Amino acid sequence: MGRGKSTAAISYINDNPDKNFVVVLPTRSECLRYADALDRTAVVPHTEDQAGKETLLSVFNEAVSQGKSVITTHALLKRWDDTSIRELRGKDYILILDEVLDVVEPFRITSHDYHTLVAGGVVSEEVDEISGLKRVVLLNNDYTGKHEPFIQQVSRGNMVRVQDAVCVWLTGPQRLLTFDEVFILTYNFQGSVMAAWLKLNKLNYEMRSVEDGMFIDYKPEYGQSFRHLLDIVQDISLNSIGSRRNALSVSDLSKAKPERMKKLRNCMRKFFTRNDATDPHLNMWTCPQEFKPKLQYSPFGYIGGRVSKNQLRKMTTEERVNRDTHVAVNMKATNLYRHKKYLAYAYNAFPNPALTKLFSECGVSFNQEQYALNELVQWLWRSRVRQGKHITVYIPAKRMRNLLIDWLNTESPAGLAEINQAA
């Protein structure tokens, strides 16, 4: 929410020179920014001076074996192996995690293929004592074939079977339990998948707030204090396309006919042109990545000429900001878009059904409306609103628009409770 959580984290590290830290950030550029701001020298595996090492993971493992502080990325944390865990254990490291981890993800394997592996004696199931879930276990270490990625995750103990229908990659808590303390820096953690994952693993946590660049006792943040900064489009002609509850969700957009996608594209074009938002540098919009080619159009297209997928893939995040007005729906922890004034959010956020099935089976509460609101607010706060500047927002999905409006009208815990209880 632009309250200075990075500043608070950096200050905390600098105020504790006798402690060692592992700082995990979403992007390489953020790693370099943190490294420059610290009073100490920390190992950053992603810098050019480490290029001669065999792998980024070997750089990380070597650094923690020597008790050094390390700044790294979410992507590398996912690759931590048994050596990483062993080297971290017992050294009283503190983990600072900027934004939540992807700790639960559906794994694509058909029911037929899964049952073929079971019938062939390759895998089996056993009930997890903590969660009560059916954990997939490996019976045959010699398997070779097209399902080796699945078998690899099974061998690491990361695969569970939910309602005898889907397989879900579920990371264990070992990575977090190796640390003396863990800080997770994010907006409204209670509405996140990771918060539900902690409940699933029976791990407790305490909430904190940030004020004046310092961690303080928790103070709920009410939307009312930001209401004057957001002008939300209420034009019926532009919003009618999103009137149904699931309109513009992934499942809805997947089934949309070309004429409906054209209508959505035209609605966004009208939003930008009616607001005289002809300078694409000030515009940002989003939809799930797979639908971007069908919706992108001037003045919310590419800046300075069309860019191919391969060109975009090779660009750094900083370079992409100057060439593409599309900002990923899950973009977090970056200030690169803080100049954006006109925003279009062409998406209706629902958690993957496999995740809701997983938490439901375990009796863990997980609020889909709070999850959706968190996703929306996180995306909006990439823009200049994080600097206390006014923005104009087009949200055609009625459900998402109403969630935001309700939040902006909250002035007390009672108002927050009403959103959390929404169904």
Side-chain angles (χ1 to χ4, degrees):
M1 298 296 291
R3 294 297 194 190
K5 56 185 175 67
S6 296
T7 301
I10 291 168
S11 295
Y12 183 79
I13 296 171
N14 287 338
D15 290 343
N16 290 275
D18 57 327
K19 296 181 179 180
N20 281 323
F21 294 82
V22 172
V23 183
V24 179
L25 305 163
T27 64
R28 177 181 178 274
S29 60
E30 280 293 288
C31 291
L32 300 178
R33 184 173 75 86
Y34 261 72
D36 289 340
L38 294 182
D39 293 340
R40 71 179 74 191
T41 299
V43 175
V44 184
H46 312 269
T47 55
E48 291 183 3
D49 61 339
Q50 300 289 351
K53 302 289 184 179
E54 183 178 348
T55 65
L56 294 176
L57 185 60
S58 67
V59 176
F60 176 85
N61 288 344
E62 181 180 344
V64 295
S65 72
Q66 297 172 6
K68 297 179 179 179
S69 291
V70 185
I71 305 173
T72 187
T73 62
H74 282 229
L76 186 58
L77 183 149
K78 278 188 172 182
R79 293 168 50 198
W80 289 359
D81 55 16
D82 291 342
T83 300
S84 310
I85 303 302
R86 183 175 63 253
E87 296 294 352
L88 285 165
R89 189 173 288 123
K91 292 189 173 72
D92 297 329
Y93 269 99
I94 295 174
L95 173 65
I96 293 184
L97 184 60
D98 194 349
E99 291 304 338
V100 295
L101 291 174
D102 293 327
V103 290
V104 186
E105 296 177 10
F107 196 98
R108 291 187 178 182
I109 182 171
T110 67
S111 182
H112 176 268
D113 286 350
Y114 175 76
H115 286 294
T116 298
L117 291 174
V118 173
V122 179
V123 299
S124 183
E125 297 173 0
E126 63 181 29
V127 177
D128 187 278
E129 294 181 359
I130 297 177
S131 66
L133 289 168
K134 291 181 179 178
R135 190 168 294 278
V136 184
V137 295
L138 185 62
L139 299 180
N140 183 358
N141 291 312
D142 298 325
Y143 173 86
T144 57
K146 66 176 183 178
H147 297 301
E148 285 184 27
F150 174 76
I151 297 301
Q152 185 179 54
Q153 294 302 326
V154 171
S155 68
R156 294 174 179 172
N158 292 335
M159 199 65 62
V160 297
R161 185 78 171 163
V162 180
Q163 296 184 0
D164 293 323
V166 293
C167 288
V168 175
W169 175 83
L170 178 68
T171 187
Q174 294 86 354
R175 287 180 175 86
L176 300 190
L177 293 176
T178 57
F179 291 92
D180 192 46
E181 293 181 87
V182 177
F183 290 78
I184 303 172
L185 312 180
T186 191
Y187 162 71
N188 198 4
F189 179 70
Q190 291 171 315
S192 69
V193 172
M194 192 172 183
W197 173 83
L198 289 178
K199 294 178 186 175
L200 178 68
N201 287 284
K202 297 179 171 52
L203 297 175
N204 298 321
Y205 61 88
E206 296 179 357
M207 301 286 288
R208 291 287 185 269
S209 293
V210 172
E211 188 172 275
D212 297 327
M214 301 291 289
F215 295 121
I216 62 171
D217 291 340
Y218 179 60
K219 295 180 179 179
E221 196 162 36
Y222 307 121
Q224 189 272 340
S225 59
F226 306 107
R227 188 166 55 192
H228 65 290
L229 296 175
L230 281 77
D231 180 16
I232 303 172
V233 173
Q234 296 287 11
D235 188 323
I236 295 176
S237 66
L238 296 183
N239 289 337
S240 62
I241 194 169
S243 57
R244 291 182 289 107
R245 173 173 167 77
N246 74 327
L248 309 189
S249 63
V250 169
S251 61
D252 179 56
L253 291 172
S254 298
K255 295 179 288 187
K257 295 181 179 180
E259 54 266 29
R260 187 155 181 265
M261 297 298 281
K262 181 180 179 180
K263 180 180 179 181
L264 177 58
R265 184 173 68 242
N266 285 338
C267 285
M268 286 195 286
R269 180 178 59 81
K270 289 177 182 177
F271 157 70
F272 285 112
T273 55
R274 287 179 184 178
N275 284 280
D276 198 29
T278 53
D279 181 357
H281 287 281
L282 298 179
N283 302 340
M284 68 185 250
W285 71 286
T286 198
C287 69
Q289 188 68 33
E290 60 265 40
F291 307 110
K292 176 186 173 184
K294 298 180 180 179
L295 293 175
Q296 192 145 28
Y297 192 82
S298 179
F300 55 97
Y302 297 106
I303 303 170
R306 186 168 181 81
V307 184
S308 71
K309 284 185 178 179
N310 286 335
Q311 286 175 310
L312 280 176
R313 194 175 296 117
K314 294 176 182 178
M315 288 181 184
T316 64
T317 305
E318 293 84 353
E319 291 171 333
R320 199 174 296 124
V321 170
N322 296 317
R323 296 303 308 275
D324 193 1
T325 58
H326 182 271
V327 179
V329 294
N330 60 349
M331 183 64 69
K332 297 180 177 70
T334 179
N335 297 323
L336 294 174
Y337 303 93
R338 61 184 180 275
H339 58 289
K340 300 291 187 177
K341 182 178 181 181
Y342 302 102
L343 287 64
Y345 191 86
Y347 181 44
N348 191 352
F350 286 92
N352 190 292
L355 305 189
T356 56
K357 289 178 181 178
L358 170 76
F359 294 127
S360 175
E361 185 169 303
C362 298
V364 173
S365 60
F366 181 60
N367 190 293
Q368 295 189 48
E369 306 305 285
Q370 188 63 64
Y371 168 87
L373 176 63
N374 284 2
E375 293 292 296
L376 173 58
V377 170
Q378 283 271 21
W379 188 84
L380 295 177
W381 252 255
R382 298 310 100 212
S383 73
R384 69 184 213 159
V385 72
R386 67 186 295 110
Q387 298 176 306
K389 296 180 180 180
H390 183 270
I391 60 173
T392 302
V393 185
Y394 172 47
I395 308 174
K398 180 180 179 180
R399 169 177 170 262
M400 299 298 291
R401 189 170 63 253
N402 286 346
L403 282 171
L404 180 62
I405 291 171
D406 289 344
W407 177 71
L408 291 172
N409 288 328
T410 58
E411 303 178 22
S412 67
L416 285 176
E418 289 179 7
I419 295 175
N420 289 333
Q421 292 168 6

